[in-house]
Amino acid sequence: FGAIMTTWTVPATIDSAMPIISPTNTEAITQATPLACVKEAKKAAAGAIKVFNEQLNKTFWGNTGGCLGETSVLALVIGGIWLLVRKTITWHIPVGVLVAAFVCAAIPHLINSDKFISPVFHLTSGAMLFGAIFIATDPVTAPLTEKGMLIFAAGVGAVTILIRIVGEYPEGFMYAILLMNSITPLIDRFCKHKPLGGQPNG
């Protein structure tokens, strides 16, 4: 039921591109997510620039359909800054995910900018920011060392973009985080904490 589960409702009453619709005659309006529009542009090998121009402002303010909590860049950035200030998370995983995703998305965009969307759009759409800040930083499933965190984050960002660009699904963050979570013990094995006054075993 993938198509049914990813048909989102648009917050039409706050979308400046649409007239305000009376709730008495309309219950909801559905629309494709920004990443679904990106996938269609990729299949057509054209239109990525148009999608970028039309959707970027909506993803920043949250005037678009999508999963709960992932549609507003502004709200996610504020939440991320709050977690960093409170020292609930460190910068390593969020920054690592976003940098890796940006680099991996920039390569195809530089090759064909009308087929592959700007890397900036990849960072602002879908679960990228939400996942980088609130999911990938989970202390139970993330590596223990700073070096391990950066390796983990780079894998999450790269695999997400690989799925978005090469795979059939428009989004790939959930698969990327599950894959990297499964190899976290391996990362911890090779990136051990240095004992106080000594060298790590092995």
Side-chain angles (χ1 to χ4, degrees):
F1 305 100
I4 297 174
M5 294 175 64
T6 55
T7 301
W8 311 106
T9 56
V10 54
T13 55
I14 59 172
D15 191 340
S16 60
M18 291 184 174
I20 296 179
I21 299 172
S22 171
T24 59
N25 57 15
T26 303
E27 293 182 3
I29 295 177
T30 61
Q31 71 169 36
T33 63
L35 285 179
C37 296
V38 169
K39 185 64 70 174
E40 291 302 317
K42 177 185 172 292
K43 290 179 180 178
I49 296 174
K50 181 181 178 182
V51 172
F52 179 81
N53 293 334
E54 290 178 351
Q55 297 287 339
L56 184 63
N57 185 57
K58 294 179 181 180
T59 59
F60 182 82
W61 295 107
N63 296 346
T64 188
C67 292
L68 179 66
E70 73 175 23
T71 60
S72 174
V73 171
L74 179 62
L76 292 170
V77 169
I78 292 172
I81 292 173
W82 176 252
L83 291 179
L84 287 169
V85 169
R86 294 297 301 269
K87 297 184 178 180
T88 304
I89 63 172
T90 63
W91 63 268
H92 302 86
I93 291 178
V95 171
V97 169
L98 299 179
V99 168
F102 185 92
V103 171
C104 292
I107 296 171
H109 176 69
L110 291 174
I111 295 172
N112 187 345
S113 61
D114 201 38
K115 179 179 179 180
F116 299 101
I117 202 77
S118 165
V120 174
F121 192 80
H122 277 289
L123 302 189
T124 62
S125 58
M128 183 69 73
L129 268 178
F130 182 82
I133 296 170
F134 297 100
I135 299 176
T137 53
D138 174 31
V140 177
T141 55
L144 300 173
T145 63
E146 294 179 355
K147 181 181 177 181
M149 289 179 186
L150 292 173
I151 295 171
F152 172 83
V156 171
V159 172
T160 300
I161 298 301
L162 187 64
I163 294 173
R164 287 184 179 185
I165 292 177
V166 179
E168 286 297 317
Y169 289 103
E171 177 61 281
F173 193 90
M174 67 291 291
Y175 301 108
I177 193 71
L178 288 172
L179 176 64
M180 294 308 297
N181 281 344
S182 69
I183 65 172
T184 292
L186 186 63
I187 295 174
D188 281 334
R189 181 176 180 181
F190 290 101
C191 301
K192 296 180 180 179
H193 280 293
K194 179 181 178 180
L196 183 62
Q199 295 294 326
N201 296 326

